Amino acid sequence: MGKYQIIATAAMGLEALVAKEVRSLGYECEVENGRVTYTGDETAIARSNLWLRTADRIKIKVGEFKAFTFDELFEKTKAIPWEQFLPEDAEFPVIGKSVKSKLFSVSDCQAIVKKAVVERLKKHYKRNTWFEENGALYRIEVALLKDVATITIDASGSGLHKRGYRIDQGEAPLKETLAAALVMLTNWQADRPFIDPFCGSGTIPIEAALIGQNIAPGFNREFVSEAWKWMPEKVWDDARMEAEDLAKYDQSLDITGSDIDHRMVRIAEGNSVEAGFGDLIKFKQMQVRDISTTKEYGVIVGNPPYGERLGDKKAVELMYKEMGQAFSKLETWSIYIMTSNEEFEQFYGKPATKKRKLFNGFIRTDLYQFWGKRPPRY
Ligand SMILES: C[S@@+](CC[C@H](N)C(=O)[O-])C[C@H]1O[C@@H](n2cnc3c(N)ncnc32)[C@H](O)[C@@H]1O
């Protein structure tokens, strides 16, 4: 088994959650802006891809160095033992980004990194011609930040939010990674009722069900590193077997998603079936103001419209007010609403127990948390 520097990339604000997940997989890690770094073997790469619910992707860090000139970038990239990662037929496109660095031309940095890798591989594989690049994909990234170049290879392929269950979606679907984060930020346990009153395409209820039954979010998809020569098939088989063993398919769930729009309810049902939950998650057409229940100690997580579109504002504010009135009857429930509306508490009619800043894409939002009574201890 090899030893690799692994990076789990994280959306702004989710780093601590990603780190918590990495630690619970058994790896000590360091947290920085936008990424969590740790050391692990091939199994760690496979398990990270399969299990991390809130990370964006898994990358292998193959080099990190200061680079103030193109020469430096070329030589230091060439010094990386690329032959240990890339076989002769590897397809290796190079992408890049540069922030606050002398080398600001991203396209030049990409071209130089590509040239350096080719030089290194030509020497190792004893070739004078270009590589055909008709094998497995090893997408290289050169990321410059304050003149430090981090060179990585992407081990995920499509982003980890692509779980494979979303066959259709509405207008403003939540990224699956953020939906999982919302559920993880609550105190919900699988034996408690769960409602998403603005379910849209069903992302939050589906992520809650995956968490509730401890199903690895990547279980139903493939990863680019599955085709890598140095990632043995057995590693993937074992990681998938572990995921299968740890899944609690018998865990009963009481998860409901509702939405004012019946078309969204149909879409959510379709996605839930695709995720393997069939009718385990209940979906229904309903306005948030009509939500009532006699069940206790449940959790509500919702991503309502934010009222940012012209003409929507007043209607959304009224809806927040009606929501506050409906939820005021649910004394034992904990309620978590994510919105960018800074006056939300005023309309809802109650100050939040706690607020947490979160980014929904580029939109700055708050997760307004209203903690319910604790369940009695027996
Ligand atoms: C931002 S979207 C939610 C997206 C969802 N989280 C997803 O991943 O697809 C907001 C949803 O709230 C629904 N909605 C708007 N007003 C509502 C109301 N008064 N009661 C219930 N649902 C409402 C919309 O139909 C829309 O599907």
Side-chain angles (χ1 to χ4, degrees):
M1 283 278 179
K3 211 170 180 197
Y4 305 92
Q5 283 290 304
I6 304 172
I7 296 179
T9 60
M12 223 185 321
L14 296 190
E15 293 90 344
L17 268 187
V18 173
K20 196 172 163 197
E21 287 199 88
V22 168
R23 287 193 192 106
S24 73
L25 281 180
Y27 312 112
E28 260 323 302
C29 58
E30 263 176 52
V31 188
E32 289 161 88
N33 273 347
R35 67 185 197 177
V36 171
T37 309
Y38 49 107
T39 304
D41 57 11
E42 290 82 351
T43 299
I45 297 170
R47 293 178 73 229
S48 302
N49 269 309
L50 278 169
W51 279 103
L52 295 183
R53 297 178 196 280
T54 56
D56 281 340
R57 11 180 108 249
I58 303 303
K59 297 176 178 177
I60 315 300
K61 184 164 92 182
V62 293
E64 192 157 63
F65 48 79
K66 284 199 171 137
F68 297 97
T69 66
F70 287 131
D71 267 355
E72 246 179 308
L73 180 62
F74 181 83
E75 291 303 332
K76 290 179 178 172
T77 302
K78 207 175 110 184
I80 294 169
W82 287 100
E83 61 282 357
Q84 290 176 15
F85 302 100
L86 274 54
E88 198 171 355
D89 64 354
E91 181 189 351
F92 53 105
V94 180
I95 58 164
K97 58 185 178 197
S98 176
V99 178
K100 294 183 186 157
S101 299
K102 274 215 170 65
L103 300 179
F104 59 85
S105 163
V106 172
S107 58
D108 285 332
C109 291
Q110 285 171 218
I112 278 161
V113 167
K114 180 84 187 188
K115 196 159 171 253
V117 181
V118 168
E119 285 288 303
R120 172 94 191 192
L121 293 181
K122 265 185 170 175
K123 196 159 175 224
H124 179 82
Y125 292 116
K126 301 188 176 50
R127 285 179 71 122
N128 330 315
T129 52
W130 277 89
F131 293 95
E132 283 87 24
E133 299 200 33
N134 51 9
L137 177 65
Y138 296 76
R139 197 176 66 160
I140 298 170
E141 183 182 60
V142 47
L144 281 139
L145 174 64
K146 294 183 184 159
D147 301 309
V148 174
T150 305
I151 315 276
T152 56
I153 307 176
D154 172 28
S156 295
S158 27
L160 294 182
H161 67 284
K162 297 244 162 120
R163 319 286 209 213
Y165 63 70
R166 190 181 271 170
I167 46 177
D168 204 352
Q169 62 188 48
E171 248 180 57
L174 210 55
K175 227 174 158 183
E176 293 80 346
T177 40
L178 180 56
L182 293 182
V183 178
M184 287 165 60
L185 287 169
T186 73
N187 54 355
W188 181 67
Q189 301 289 327
D191 58 355
R192 296 172 67 178
F194 183 100
I195 299 177
D196 173 2
F198 306 97
C199 72
S201 49
T203 324
I204 298 174
I206 294 171
E207 290 298 322
L210 289 169
I211 291 170
Q213 293 199 334
N214 200 35
I215 295 172
F219 196 66
N220 274 323
R221 58 160 280 175
E222 288 176 350
F223 303 94
V224 77
S225 48
E226 287 181 64
W228 293 358
K229 292 219 166 72
W230 51 270
M231 285 284 295
E233 232 176 279
K234 184 169 180 334
V235 162
W236 287 100
D237 291 347
D238 289 351
R240 285 215 157 78
M241 201 110 79
E242 179 196 35
E244 183 71 26
D245 284 347
L246 292 175
K248 298 179 188 153
Y249 297 116
D250 295 337
Q251 171 67 53
S252 61
L253 297 171
D254 182 355
I255 299 178
T256 308
S258 55
D259 198 287
I260 194 169
D261 184 343
H262 65 91
R263 288 167 309 177
M264 292 316 307
V265 173
R266 295 288 94 75
I267 289 175
E269 280 168 347
N271 290 341
S272 170
V273 168
E274 193 62 28
F277 294 117
D279 51 13
L280 202 62
I281 306 175
K282 296 178 278 298
F283 288 102
K284 54 185 171 196
Q285 190 267 326
M286 191 190 250
Q287 296 215 31
V288 67
R289 66 174 182 217
D290 295 331
I291 286 184
S292 71
T293 175
T294 51
K295 291 175 190 164
E296 293 199 299
Y297 302 107
V299 170
I300 291 177
V301 180
N303 170 38
Y306 303 160
E308 288 188 334
R309 247 183 321 198
L310 222 58
D312 281 0
K313 204 169 174 337
K314 281 276 163 279
V316 163
E317 288 168 359
L318 175 64
M319 184 265 282
Y320 288 167
K321 189 173 167 208
E322 292 172 344
M323 168 167 44
Q325 286 163 355
F327 292 174
S328 68
K329 296 173 192 126
L330 310 179
E331 272 189 11
T332 62
W333 285 61
S334 290
I335 291 147
Y336 300 77
I337 302 293
M338 184 173 82
T339 173
S340 65
N341 191 316
E342 288 173 12
E343 292 160 316
F344 175 74
E345 289 157 298
Q346 236 165 285
F347 299 113
Y348 186 81
K350 197 172 153 185
T353 320
K354 195 179 165 189
K355 285 196 290 184
R356 183 184 169 122
K357 186 170 73 168
L358 283 174
F359 283 87
N360 182 0
F362 291 109
I363 307 176
R364 186 207 181 281
T365 70
D366 278 294
L367 180 66
Y368 292 89
Q369 314 183 15
F370 303 89
W371 298 348
K373 281 187 189 156
R374 279 174 185 279
R377 282 172 192 234
Y378 298 107

